Amino acid sequence: MSALDLIQGEADVDDEEGDESFDEETGEVIRKTNGVNGVNRAIDDSSEEDEDDDDEEAEKAVREGFIVEDEEETEERVRRRRERKKRRREEREEEEAGLDDEDLDLIGEANPDFERRAPSEPKLKRLKRGHKEDRDGGPQRGVRDIFDSDDEEEDLSRPYNNQRNFNRAEARELENEFEGFIEEDFSDNEGRDPGDDDAEVARPVSTNLIGVKDAAGLDEMALEDMNKVFGTGYEYDWALEIQDQEEQDEQRRPDPEDPDALLKGIELKDVFEPSQLAERMLTDEDNQIRSIDEPERFQIARKPYRHLVLTDEQFKEESIWISNLMLPKKRLEGDLREPFQKSVAKVLEFMITDEYEVPFIFQHRKDYLIHAAKVAVTPDPYNQNAPQYVVSAEKLLNQSDLWDIFELDLKFRALIDKRNVLQRTYDNLKSVSDFKDSVFEEMLPTAVTMEELQDVQDYLHFQHSSLLTDIAVVNGTGVNGTTTQRRPGASKMIFERIRNGKVYGLVRAFGISADAFAQNALKKEGRRQYTEDPTERPDDMADSERILDPPDYSSGVQCLRAAKAMFAEEISLSPKMRKVMRQAYYMNGVIECFRTEKGLRKIDEQHPYYEFKYLRNQQLSDIARQPDLFLRMLKAEEEGLVDVKVRLQNHENFKNRLYGDLESDNESEVADAWNRERREALDMALLKLDKIMTRGVKENMKTECENQVAKTCRDEFAKKLDQAPYKPKGMILGTVPRVLALSNGTGTFGKEAICWASVHDDGRVLENGKFVDLTLGDPERGTEDGPDVGKLVTLVKHRRPDVIGVSGFSTETRKLYKQIEDIVESKDLRGSEYDDEDGNERTDKLEVVIVNDEVARLYQTSERANLEHPGFAPLTKYCVALARYLQNPMKEYASLGRDIVSISFDPCQRYVPPEKIIKQLETAMVDMVNLCGVDVNDAVSDMYTANLLPYVCGLGHRKASQLLKVINLNGGVVSTRAELVADPVEGRLGAVGPRVWNNCASFLSIDFDDSETESDYLDNTRVHPEDYDLGRKMAADALELDEEDIEAETQENGAGAIVRKLIKDDAQEKVNDLILEEYAEQLERNFNQRKRATLETIRAELQQPYEELRRNFALLSTDEIFTMFTGETRDSLCEGMIVPVSIKRVADDFVEAKMDCGIEGTVPAMGISNRPDVSAKQLFGLHQTVQAKITYLNRKQLTANFSLREEDLRRPYRKEIDRMRDEWDEAEEQKDKDSMVEKNDVSGRTQRVIKHPLFKPFNSAQAQEYLGSQSRGDVVIRPSSKGLDHLAVTWKVSDNIYQHIDVLELDKSSQFSSGTTLKIGGRYNYSDLDELIVTHVKAMAKKVDEIMLHEKYQNGSKADTERWLTTYTEANPKRSVYAFCINPKHPGYFHLCFKAGQHAQLQNWPVKVVPHAFELQKTMYPDMRALCNGFKLLFQNMLTGKRR
């Protein structure tokens, strides 16, 4: 039989008289291939065998068939390897059986003799996927499955049967390939969920049927040519071989205790880059996080301290340490301090010992966050039953405090970890040398900050550096070892020689140690340390033989200098002295700002940094209240505009006090001489300490300010999350509305199309489209409605939305909003019906709202939007996101993931590291998600709900994905919360471990189904399973059931029967009659459990499970709408500011203008000019850009009034800031202003001022510096050095390339006014600056963009372009090539480089950019196409001329 017969035979399988058999039970067709039924698993027959025995026999047959074929392949492969050494191996050639139509067509083209037989009419009825049992896992996740939607490895094994499994993507691809000619019949699958198809995977395709060569009928040479075209497909054989070996080893069932029994299997990290695995959370560390039964957020946060175990003493110390840090901010009464500390200690116990996350503690341990005290009341003589006391409850900790405790716990662990390292280092020193350092032993236990521990470490390494070096050498750790010992610098080596030499005797002669001096400075209780004076003068002692230590210290001057340096170093490294300095700086330190030379020029009065250009004497407490100000100061310092300095107030007085603590009280010439030396040494030490303290204060203040801004962002985000879905009138809070969303984007109202989307309450997009004309007609004037008004009315009546949402990107959207409101009012469009308080059915006018679009703007261009709605226009996707925001803001924010930092919550957010912002925002999301809960079954089927799972208590991104995976493996539906934990008896996999389950159980809700006996009503409440017994007890008491009734009901209907009966009898309100106070007292007395708040929660949940606790949907305020449409805030745009406006209409007595932000306004007659005899038309023209002063701003209507009068424009806007007299250096400010005037005078010309928004008083260098951060094509108009009848225009051609254009002014009315005729290069004439910029500069900028975006343009220098041309012609010797590159030496010019073949000379011609054209060889070309064609023609003519 030939290969062609095989192909034809395969095509004939579906013929009615082909190889077919019929199942005796179902009567369906069973295909036969090579005597084995069902080998081709990818295109299986129309039904599946229901009996496992049949499946096993089929699998056995397949395996046997493959084993036989593998032996034949081995012999064939050996033979071919000998014949052709070029190929590595061909062992899988015969597995390439399935040539598709395109391959056979190509083969037919290459071999005319090859004939394809037309495929016969297919008879297969449908294409089915494998059963769930056939796809439940594999020994290891395959390489091809890494980017499946699940993203994680499966835990169960998947039988391979010696054939490659198809992943889901391949299954869909195969299904699509057969779509259209395989007729589908789902009669036997009625009621099947459509989503089940996506959950199942296709059967693996059979392989190894026929070889490529035999199938195609090709000879050896033709087959080799085909391999060159299609590739051999053996590039990954090494990976597949290891996988095959692993499968074979698994079938042999080796001894698991034998380490050599199995070869090392292939893993994902062997194939993919670590960054890819980390991005998909598939690293070994990620898998470990999934498997460890500990909350994911705890694992990630505590990773650096996993080795650390706190002792009982350290645990007590931690509670006191955290309480002391939090108490100043809490401002509690004195009698609440002790309860507060106990509450903190209990929270730490919950977090560390019980491993409860913040939401769990806040929800289920709320009683420990409250201090309840019984307060006696005056007895009521008329009521003997009156209570004798009332309970006074004070809230000690809120949810934000719990997150602070969690963060402080991590800081304390870092503190203890470093303290333990220092203690081990000290113990090592004691083990090799018999010594005791009292300073270290005193200061280490009392160090409560990382700074103080660092002080102790610096002291230890200074005092005992030689011993530490010896220990490092002995232990073999050295510089690169694990010890904390650092390599000593040159200065430390000098100090070590002084300490071990004679000169140190002079240090002792100072009469007091550094530690004793620091003890005096601390002013602690205890005996003062007095300084003793030697009998000799310091210079005499330094010259004595007992001090001189040649050759390093051969003179008394050298010895005395070295001794003072040593004593100063000891003072600066004393932990106590640093503590003194730190206290002084934090109590009396001030922060000041000093402008640099660069800042002097760049920070003018309109610059945002001018607010602190001359700021002085800012207390640290004041800075802490203005974190945004300090962060902007540090940003300005980073840009080189200012220097931020920390100074100690009354530094001289402080230093004099320290002199008194250091000097001796003796009165003699010798004592005076020694005191002088002591003061000099102290001065040297203070210089070092000041630098250390300044750096430390700035870093700490920066960290504190960043934390405050991050918390402000958290608070703002929490407000945005704390919104229930938009509530239609007459419906309960939490009802999801149907929404119709519209937007005109950035388009002009009335001209551009309006996109819309109708979204159902389940999130499905029912319909979408565009409107063009929604203009309402006017019956009085006889005008009809626009053609789309009727369509909108029909749409509303058909889809019945509960609300219409409108938003957009400009002020034009405000007009659309008003238009939609008018249509609703005119056409009487109404929302859904509802019953009022009297039970009457009624409807209200359909509400139109402006929707916050910060999420929609990110969504419309996201990859997620493209996947969900591939055929939608971006603006339609924007409308979909608007609708979903109205339906559930929290889900929309959760879907952003890490992109959430793209939303601005605070103006200073950009000065804070994104990771710090994300960390705080995540805590807000965790709080709100756990407040609302997540329906776990909805999360399995709905992606948007699944986005909330990572924020559930105890979970995270890794554990949430694992949870969904295991739920799908267990059947895809969860009936009870208990099913989330593994049950080996029932064969159920564990979605989470016991500890994680304890955290997340109450926040994962499951709908109660009265028809299901296993369904528990409490699984749909906020009640934790640990409190189910309390809930059932409360239900029984509410129903007044006795013990016998409870037992009988429970035995008959299960543990949840009592609550089920309460719900069935509709008796939930009876729980309000229960006295919970007595319940709580009994629980605390008998079980030591504080459950008062928990009981209240149970009572509320029994009446209304998972009640919506979020606030009503918050409509945008006027300021928020103003900012959303204009991008401006109250600080950036307000009355009194001078702004550029574009004139849109000019009349005799008024002018209409528009700002860049889109706000339109009017200039009344009185605001045009102070000359009543001149009309507005004589002064201004259409589209002219002028400076205007805002006299009135209507933020609601987005309109304004302007003034163009000269006297108004001469008074610039200046923000009023309330400062104390000594907080602003007015003298320095005036001095700088005077110096700037002097510089202008020295330059020899008067400073010109032109009334234009682009005019700047810059020179060329300043103009280039200003344009450096601007976009290509941006312009600065500036004075010219050629005189008062010239102006200079500088524009940015490209990065670091600027063109300076000389403009000659003609027809000037005065030397200071602007000319009415502007001339450039004698060729171009313009009437005003705006025309010049638009017609000349912007036109050239467009041409620059055109050439730089052309395919022939090369980034880089001329040399780079020529190298590219050379390389190209060497690869293509007979071809000519050309390219353009920019000429940085001559702005506005480009090089046209070309090479006419490999051996031709490199040449280049200059191309000049002129307005609206390119100039080449004195010829103008309007665009790049004409330029390229013109160049070719010129070059051809040049060659023709040479030949002649």
Side-chain angles (χ1 to χ4, degrees), residues 603-658:
I603 304 178
D604 57 18
E605 292 191 6
Q606 306 305 317
H607 199 283
Y609 292 162
Y610 196 82
E611 182 181 353
F612 50 78
K613 186 176 182 180
Y614 303 102
L615 197 63
R616 304 286 189 270
N617 297 322
Q618 291 295 297
Q619 301 285 341
L620 298 185
S621 57
D622 296 334
I623 290 293
R625 288 191 291 269
Q626 303 178 77
D628 56 330
L629 175 65
F630 187 67
L631 292 178
R632 285 190 290 123
M633 290 165 63
L634 294 179
K635 182 64 176 177
E637 184 178 43
E638 182 183 329
E639 294 173 2
L641 302 177
V642 300
D643 288 328
V644 180
K645 296 183 179 179
V646 181
R647 177 177 62 83
L648 187 62
Q649 283 183 315
N650 302 319
H651 193 274
E652 287 300 318
N653 294 339
F654 175 74
K655 187 162 63 172
N656 290 333
R657 288 199 301 272
L658 292 181

Side-chain angles (χ1 to χ4, degrees), residues 124 183 359 435 445 469 560 593 658 775 786 869 982 984 1139 1182 1280 1292 1384:
L124 293 177
E183 184 179 349
F435 83 104
T469 303
L560 190 58
C593 229
L658 292 181
T775 306
H869 307 292
V1139 296
L1182 288 178
S1280 173
K1292 184 174 181 178

Side-chain angles (χ1 to χ4, degrees), residues 722-762:
D722 191 14
Q723 298 182 85
Y726 173 85
K727 176 181 170 298
K729 290 182 180 178
M731 299 186 184
I732 63 172
L733 188 65
T735 303
V736 178
R738 299 186 297 268
V739 183
L740 174 63
L742 302 95
S743 177
N744 59 345
T746 56
T748 304
F749 176 74
K751 295 182 180 179
E752 303 293 336
I754 300 166
C755 289
W756 59 269
S758 177
V759 181
H760 198 260
D761 54 14
D762 60 3

